Amino acid sequence: MSNDILALGPFIAGVLVAIGVLLVDVVAPGKRAPVLVVALGGLAIVAALTITTGSAVAGGNGTAQIHAFGGAYVVDGLTTFLDLIFIGIVALTIVFGPDYLDARGLPLAEFSIVLLFAMTGAMLIAGSADLLVLFIALELMVLPGYMLAGYHKSDGYSTEGAIKYFLLGSFSSAIFLFGLAFVWGTTGTTNIDGVSTALQAIVAGTKAVSPALILGLGFLTTGVAFKIAAVPFHYWTPDAYQGSPTPVTGYLSVGPKIGAFALILRLFVDALGPLRLDWLQVVVVLAILTMTLGNLVALTQNNVKRMLAYSSIAHTGYMLVGLAAFAAGIPLGLQGLLYYGAAYSVMNLGAFAVVAAIQRRAGVTSGLDTFAGLGRREPWLAILMTLFLLSLTGIPPTTGFFGKAMVILAAVQAGQAGYTAVGILAVVAVINAAAAAFYYLRVVVYMFMRDPRSEEVPLAHGRLLWGGLAVASVLTVVLGLVPGPFLTIVNQAAHAIGG
Amino acid sequence: MLLTAVVFLPLVGAVIIGFSPARWARILALATALATWAISLWIAANFHAGIVDTTGKPLLPGSLGGGFQMVEAINWIPIFGIQYKLGIDGLSLALVVLTTTLSWISILASFAPIQTRIKEYMISFLILEVGMTGVFLSLDTFLFYIFWEVVLVPMYLIIGIWGGQNRIYATIKFVLYTLVGSLLMLVAILATAFAYQGAHGGVWAGAFDFEALRAYAGTTGFSDGLQLLAFAAFFLAFAIKVPMFPFHTWLPDAHTEAPTAGSVILAGVLLKLGGYGFIRFSLSLYPEASHTYAPLIIVLSLIAIIYGAIVAMVQPDLKRLVAYSSVSHMGFVTLGVFVFQEQGLDGAVLQMINHGLITGALFLLVGVIYERTHDRTISKMGGLAALTPVYAAVFGFFVFASAGLPGLSGFVGEFLTLLGSFTTNPWVAAVATFVMILAAAYLLWMFQRVVLGEPSAFLLGLKHHLSDMNATEIFTLAPLGALVVVFGLFPGILLNLIRQPVQSTLAAVSNATAIPVDPLFVSIGLGVVAAVIAARLLALRPRGPASGDSTAVTTVEGAAS
């Protein structure tokens, strides 16, 4: 039992922090400082706990595991790694929130609480060892997301986005659950290791392949593709992203996405691992569609938030390239996927934070025109935005570049190992990266090369925002310039599920 | 440490400028660039030229020498065997010194024209210098790629912020062209590294190390399939940079819109990155594929030489004329490289250096006249000899150098290239030689229209605004002029410097002899030129005078709006 509590420690701590913020808001309603202290301080404790639990588990090579609650929950290198990413994402989102929310009269406390609960859901996904836990965790992660999307409830777009997000999200959850039922029906167990063993028997030919399994696999893929917003299951993203308050959009574009990738790692890589070569083909097609369509549509956007929304679809595609390479038997693919996930979180959150900072005054849109002349008006914001956009484009020496290089290297490796389709993915990915340069750099053009329509005064930004931006930008550069130490961590995490 | 210093000193300067008042930006930038130049000269003084070992001891005939000197290597990303590895040989030394020289000249030449956001301009320029020297000194393919991309961003900003009317169109075009090429090169670099790793039992060490890769390519060699694909990807990246026909269309736009100093660096150094890449990487790593592709590249070079010259002739804009002349002149570089012959390769390297000096100077001179008239239209000029005699004389000097007047450096490179091509591909050489007449024609005709004759009404209308060159301008051009004369009279200085890299590169590709080009290819190439030019003439006729690219300016404006 004590072992169980130890394993679940970080998760419990996360829930406690969320409740703590809730209580603080009851005691001192509407106060900003106590909420931030409890939320950020609490997150620091959760992070410390995650690291201690993780290092207690991970022996030399990170393959050691703790199984808890009768094998329903697992702590291994991957759990620790993903947990830390989720904690970081939520901490940065809370840091970037207050300025924007204040200007629109939206409360900070509820924002933080909902985010913290979403985080616990994502952390639970990362440690799921049972299909049912996996599903509950998924719902725990996405339900707060619907609330966040509609957080600006007096704003029509926010509400519209939230409803679309909610309807399509619940629909996809249902499909996903349906798929799980088929898998359970075929294999007779909900335990991930058990499913994997049962499927191995099927693949080895000792048991027949049932149509139900194929159907289940199809449903699962569809459900997950919705969650990561892979084309052609991406229709909810642009509206949900554009309508949501900007800090929320930043969170939605990384948190649930990385969470859904965690789900993929636990479900497809772990449980459905034996069927790797079957879903590999689907992933290749999804990756090509996702990268290409996401980029093509992003090219035509005039709203930066919407542009970033479509570009986040394209980034999903790059991560799928890593997944495809891993499915083709290249461990580097998984490492690339994990590295890319972390890199993408940092740079995308940074970019959204700048957009949020520019919208400090209520009523300022996120259209391209808002960015005209920013380089003169607020040079530091413009320089940071340029850094994040260059990183998203994949220009060295930023972390975005190194992430792309790793995924592409993995795909090239898979191509040379005989999986030509995955090799072609590498070429598709780089052509897409070049096309993406056009719309990312267009923002830079507006910031530095266009004069503003009207002379606007620079806005004051909180120290918290600058601090968060400093962390994001330093990480963006350092992870790209000296990736060595971080790669060691990534490798340990990847080892946990055979990468 | 010297090589690290020469690469990163400009970055230090850029950071200092970032935290200093804007009024110091100019002088700090110039001081940094001069200090970097001094270090590069110090490196040159300590460099052992010729066929020597790394300590400078002469070696027996037939030996190829120690290769790279002053090598610095640190493990950077050990998991993939990626190193921070710099090293220098004669080829990189020549190009590094060219870069550092042109950098301080460009910064000095920007003092007057650049009046807005000086701080940002100087920082961009110094970071540009980091990228350029880094490319020439990297001995790790991954590091090479990083520096290659680092060059892109500051140039994008320089054209996009301080450029002319259509700067945004031009700069986006420049970035997209370059990025498509370079990203495919990244795939090739990674594929090559993986092939090396696969052949060494999955050990990554050395997979990105240029010397290790070259040694492997020289012994076992990469598989044919990899060579053909990787060469094609490298080729695309380098061909866009050079730029070779038909990947050249970004160049006239970028040049026309860039500020003067941007054009100088673009023509002087950035185009050389492509030539350097061909010599350093394509030939050494993929020797068999080089032979396969050589005929195609030779034909494309010929087309570039002819097409560039013909199109230059009809340009109404001085800067566009010089830009197209670059396409023509850089065609000699790729031609010289791919005849796989010592004089040819010597000529190609010399042509790169000399084109950097001469075209850099020509862009500076166009900038001088533009500063005064705010116009570059050739038809509005005339009679500058009477109005600004010093300018006319200096302009004339560099025009003749560019036309390849014997005794000046422009001649040597082209002559050696032609000599080299003649021994292997006489047909190609014959056609290319004929084009030298065209070069003389467009340059001298331009010179006649701009400098000779009666002063035009437009220039007379400017009255006292049209002053002769000032001391700063003469000071920026003097070193270039001196080098043009020195290298013209004593090309041996450079030839001795590059002998070792040239011979070792040729040794890498000489296992198979150069494939002579079939005259059929030449005629097909000429047919393509004719078709392209005919197509352009037809497409442009309804909109204006049917004269090649003369209406391209309006087309560009139409596309940008």
Side-chain angles (χ1 to χ4, degrees):
Chain A
M1 187 63 203
S2 67
N3 204 25
D4 291 356
I5 301 293
L6 172 75
L8 218 53
F11 173 77
I12 296 170
V15 176
L16 287 179
V17 173
I19 296 173
V21 178
L22 197 66
L23 289 177
V24 164
D25 192 47
V26 173
V27 177
K31 290 266 168 51
R32 183 167 149 175
V35 169
L36 286 173
V37 169
V38 174
L40 294 178
L43 281 176
I45 294 170
V46 178
L49 248 158
T50 311
I51 292 169
T52 31
T53 316
S55 52
V57 177
N61 54 5
T63 46
Q65 298 179 330
I66 299 185
H67 283 277
F69 294 100
Y73 189 80
V74 64
V75 178
D76 55 17
L78 185 68
T79 318
T80 314
F81 179 80
L82 289 171
D83 280 0
L84 287 174
I85 290 187
F86 295 133
I87 295 167
I89 290 173
V90 168
L92 277 176
T93 310
I94 292 179
V95 163
F96 292 140
D99 281 6
Y100 182 94
L101 298 176
D102 276 357
R104 285 158 182 76
L106 298 170
L108 175 67
E110 282 90 331
F111 176 75
S112 313
I113 297 160
V114 176
L115 270 175
L116 286 166
F117 277 120
M119 177 189 81
T120 55
M123 287 169 73
L124 199 55
I125 293 182
S128 297
D130 189 281
L131 296 182
L132 285 178
V133 178
L134 199 62
F135 179 72
I136 292 168
L138 176 68
E139 284 305 285
L140 182 55
M141 177 184 75
V142 294
L143 280 174
Y146 306 143
M147 291 162 70
L148 285 171
Y151 199 63
H152 198 176
K153 58 180 180 236
S154 58
D155 181 61
Y157 289 111
S158 182
T159 316
E160 184 196 333
I163 290 177
K164 280 189 181 162
Y165 186 23
F166 173 68
L167 286 178
L168 285 172
S170 336
F171 192 58
S172 67
S173 292
I175 293 177
F176 181 75
L177 188 59
F178 204 39
L180 282 187
F182 277 109
V183 171
W184 171 74
T186 325
T187 59
T189 173
T190 57
N191 183 283
I192 281 180
D193 287 341
V195 170
S196 177
T197 321
L199 289 179
Q200 256 156 22
I202 291 177
V203 172
T206 46
K207 275 189 192 170
V209 183
S210 66
L213 182 66
I214 297 165
L215 215 57
L217 197 60
F219 282 129
L220 286 179
T221 313
T222 310
V224 170
F226 260 109
K227 298 292 179 204
I228 57 171
V231 175
F233 306 104
H234 67 287
Y235 285 102
W236 56 273
T237 19
D239 286 327
Y241 285 9
Q242 194 186 357
S244 307
T246 309
V248 172
T249 315
Y251 166 75
L252 287 181
S253 71
V254 293
K257 186 165 288 190
I258 307 296
F261 268 102
L263 180 94
I264 289 181
L265 294 183
R266 285 295 177 208
L267 180 66
F268 281 77
V269 174
D270 241 10
L272 306 180
L275 301 177
R276 218 167 253 208
L277 293 179
D278 298 301
W279 52 261
L280 165 66
Q281 299 155 11
V282 182
V283 171
V284 168
V285 174
L286 279 182
I288 291 180
L289 285 178
T290 309
M291 286 187 287
T292 313
L293 236 84
N295 273 324
L296 282 182
V297 185
L299 283 173
T300 61
Q301 301 303 318
N302 285 321
N303 184 301
V304 176
K305 239 161 103 177
R306 215 175 160 81
M307 180 274 275
L308 287 173
Y310 277 110
S311 92
S312 81
I313 295 175
H315 284 281
T316 304
Y318 303 134
M319 287 187 254
L320 286 175
V321 174
L323 185 67
F326 180 62
I330 308 296
L332 190 61
L334 182 58
Q335 295 161 18
L337 170 62
L338 292 178
Y339 182 95
Y340 202 101
Y344 166 74
S345 307
V346 170
M347 59 200 184
N348 216 38
L349 276 177
F352 271 108
V354 176
V355 179
I358 290 164
Q359 294 182 291
R360 176 93 162 81
R361 212 176 17 233
V364 177
T365 65
S366 53
L368 262 177
D369 283 341
T370 312
F371 287 79
L374 189 73
R376 199 164 297 179
R377 199 163 70 231
E378 301 191 46
W380 277 109
L381 273 188
I383 288 170
L384 288 175
M385 186 68 174
T386 310
L387 175 71
F388 296 131
L389 290 174
L390 289 180
S391 182
L392 285 165
T393 316
I395 306 269
T398 56
T399 180
F401 158 70
F402 199 77
K404 278 211 180 72
M406 275 185 81
V407 211
I408 291 167
L409 178 57
V412 166
Q413 212 167 342
Q416 294 190 355
Y419 295 90
T420 320
V422 186
I424 291 169
L425 270 187
V427 178
V428 177
V430 292
I431 292 173
N432 266 295
F438 177 76
Y439 58 79
Y440 286 129
L441 291 182
R442 193 160 54 172
V443 181
V444 181
V445 165
Y446 270 82
M447 290 193 298
F448 288 102
M449 306 171 196
R450 290 266 164 97
D451 294 321
R453 279 170 312 166
S454 56
E455 208 47 57
E456 285 175 32
V457 281
L459 307 163
H461 302 291
R463 260 177 293 176
L464 204 58
L465 179 94
W466 287 121
L469 281 175
V471 171
S473 52
V474 167
L475 281 177
T476 304
V477 176
V478 169
L479 289 186
L481 214 53
V482 203
F486 186 65
L487 278 178
T488 323
I489 303 172
V490 169
N491 281 359
Q492 272 182 9
H495 270 309
I497 52 170
Chain B
M1 277 320 285
L2 270 179
L3 298 187
T4 301
V6 81
V7 174
F8 287 105
L9 187 67
L11 184 65
V12 175
V15 171
I16 293 175
I17 292 173
F19 290 100
S20 311
R23 61 177 190 282
W24 294 359
R26 287 190 175 121
I27 197 73
L28 278 174
L30 184 63
T32 311
L34 282 172
T36 315
W37 184 55
I39 296 178
S40 71
L41 294 182
W42 178 250
I43 291 172
N46 285 314
F47 183 82
H48 308 297
I51 307 293
V52 293
D53 67 6
T54 43
T55 58
K57 218 169 64 183
L59 290 173
L60 295 171
S63 171
L64 284 176
F68 296 96
Q69 302 180 19
M70 305 180 199
V71 174
E72 301 167 14
I74 312 172
N75 272 338
W76 177 25
I77 307 170
I79 295 178
F80 297 117
I82 296 171
Q83 291 172 298
Y84 169 80
K85 186 174 179 187
L86 302 180
I88 197 163
D89 66 359
L91 176 63
S92 14
L93 177 66
L95 289 164
V96 164
V97 175
L98 175 74
T99 308
T100 53
T101 313
L102 283 176
S103 288
W104 75 257
I105 289 177
S106 303
I107 285 174
L108 185 60
S110 309
F111 276 20
I114 304 298
Q115 292 297 344
T116 53
R117 293 192 245 183
I118 300 157
K119 211 164 140 173
E120 290 90 331
Y121 179 87
M122 293 303 171
I123 291 174
S124 306
F125 228 99
L126 289 173
I127 293 176
L128 183 62
E129 194 179 352
V130 173
M132 295 185 300
T133 44
V135 166
F136 292 135
L137 293 177
S138 298
L139 286 187
D140 181 284
T141 50
F142 197 80
L143 187 68
F144 166 79
Y145 177 78
I146 287 182
F147 281 121
W148 181 274
E149 292 289 51
V150 163
V151 169
L152 194 57
V153 179
M155 201 57 191
Y156 160 73
L157 293 174
I158 288 172
I159 300 176
I161 300 181
W162 296 276
Q165 204 79 50
N166 288 315
R167 58 184 186 274
I168 291 172
Y169 170 80
T171 197
I172 296 264
K173 194 170 175 183
F174 164 72
V175 167
L176 289 185
Y177 264 74
T178 322
L179 211 55
V180 169
S182 62
L183 281 165
L184 286 172
M185 177 171 80
L186 175 64
V187 176
I189 287 177
L190 297 177
T192 307
F194 176 68
Y196 181 91
Q197 181 246 22
H200 289 76
V203 177
W204 280 103
F208 291 93
D209 185 334
F210 172 69
E211 286 180 296
L213 289 171
R214 184 173 64 176
Y216 180 71
T219 50
T220 321
F222 294 103
S223 69
D224 286 353
L226 177 84
Q227 283 204 29
L228 288 176
L229 286 174
F231 186 95
F234 271 90
F235 167 74
L236 195 62
F238 298 148
I240 288 173
K241 212 60 163 200
V242 165
M244 288 179 70
F245 181 91
F247 308 109
H248 66 284
T249 56
W250 62 270
L251 181 86
D253 289 321
H255 266 312
T256 315
E257 300 306 329
T260 299
S263 292
V264 172
I265 290 294
L266 199 55
V269 186
L270 257 56
L271 306 190
K272 275 73 205 177
L273 300 181
Y276 172 81
F278 274 130
I279 299 173
R280 177 71 83 225
F281 294 98
S282 304
L283 259 51
S284 306
L285 297 186
Y286 316 110
E288 279 87 16
S290 299
H291 279 286
T292 317
Y293 282 98
L296 172 73
I297 295 177
I298 288 174
V299 170
L300 287 179
S301 308
L302 262 191
I303 297 179
I305 293 171
I306 301 169
Y307 177 82
I310 292 178
V311 179
M313 198 173 288
V314 295
Q315 291 307 310
D317 181 299
L318 265 179
K319 234 177 167 181
R320 275 187 104 79
L321 187 145
V322 181
Y324 274 109
S325 84
S326 286
V327 175
S328 182
H329 281 139
M330 290 304 288
F332 281 97
V333 174
T334 42
L335 176 64
V337 171
F338 281 91
V339 292
F340 306 130
Q341 203 276 338
E342 185 160 358
Q343 277 95 15
L345 200 48
D346 277 342
V349 178
L350 255 56
Q351 175 77 349
M352 290 210 289
I353 309 285
N354 296 329
H355 175 263
L357 298 171
I358 297 169
T359 310
L362 282 177
F363 276 118
L364 282 173
L365 285 159
V366 174
V368 168
I369 199 76
Y370 183 73
E371 271 303 292
R372 288 156 176 71
T373 60
H374 297 284
D375 208 317
R376 294 186 304 254
T377 318
I378 297 177
S379 58
K380 286 189 183 175
M381 308 287 169
L384 278 174
L387 300 168
T388 54
V390 179
Y391 179 81
V394 177
F395 195 47
F397 172 80
F398 283 108
V399 163
F400 280 112
S402 182
L405 189 74
L408 300 178
S409 68
F411 170 74
V412 191
E414 289 179 10
F415 178 73
L416 280 174
T417 308
L418 290 174
L419 198 65
S421 334
F422 200 80
T423 53
T424 54
N425 308 298
W427 272 99
V428 174
V431 176
T433 313
F434 173 70
V435 173
M436 287 186 77
I437 303 169
L438 275 180
Y442 67 77
L443 283 164
L444 295 183
W445 188 35
M446 180 269 286
F447 185 70
Q448 181 208 333
R449 282 180 294 167
V450 172
V451 175
L452 305 179
E454 289 297 307
S456 69
F458 170 71
L459 291 178
L460 286 174
L462 292 167
K463 300 202 175 75
H464 65 276
H465 291 294
L466 189 67
S467 52
D468 210 333
M469 289 170 77
N470 61 33
T472 315
E473 286 160 352
I474 293 173
F475 186 65
T476 54
L477 284 159
L480 298 178
L483 287 175
V484 166
V485 175
V486 169
F487 291 153
L489 295 177
F490 310 103
I493 305 171
L494 281 175
L495 289 175
N496 185 39
L497 193 61
I498 62 172
R499 187 177 304 141
Q500 186 269 329
V502 161
Q503 289 187 357
S504 65
T505 307
L506 279 176
V509 279
S510 62
N511 290 337
T513 44
I515 306 158
V517 176
D518 198 312
L520 184 68
F521 281 106
V522 182
S523 43
I524 292 175
L526 288 173
V528 170
V529 180
V532 167
I533 294 176
R536 280 209 93 127
L537 287 174
L538 287 174
L540 290 170
R541 186 178 291 156
R543 280 189 246 168
S547 50
D549 250 8
S550 65
T551 50
V553 181
T554 42
T555 329
V556 167
E557 274 158 7
S561 55

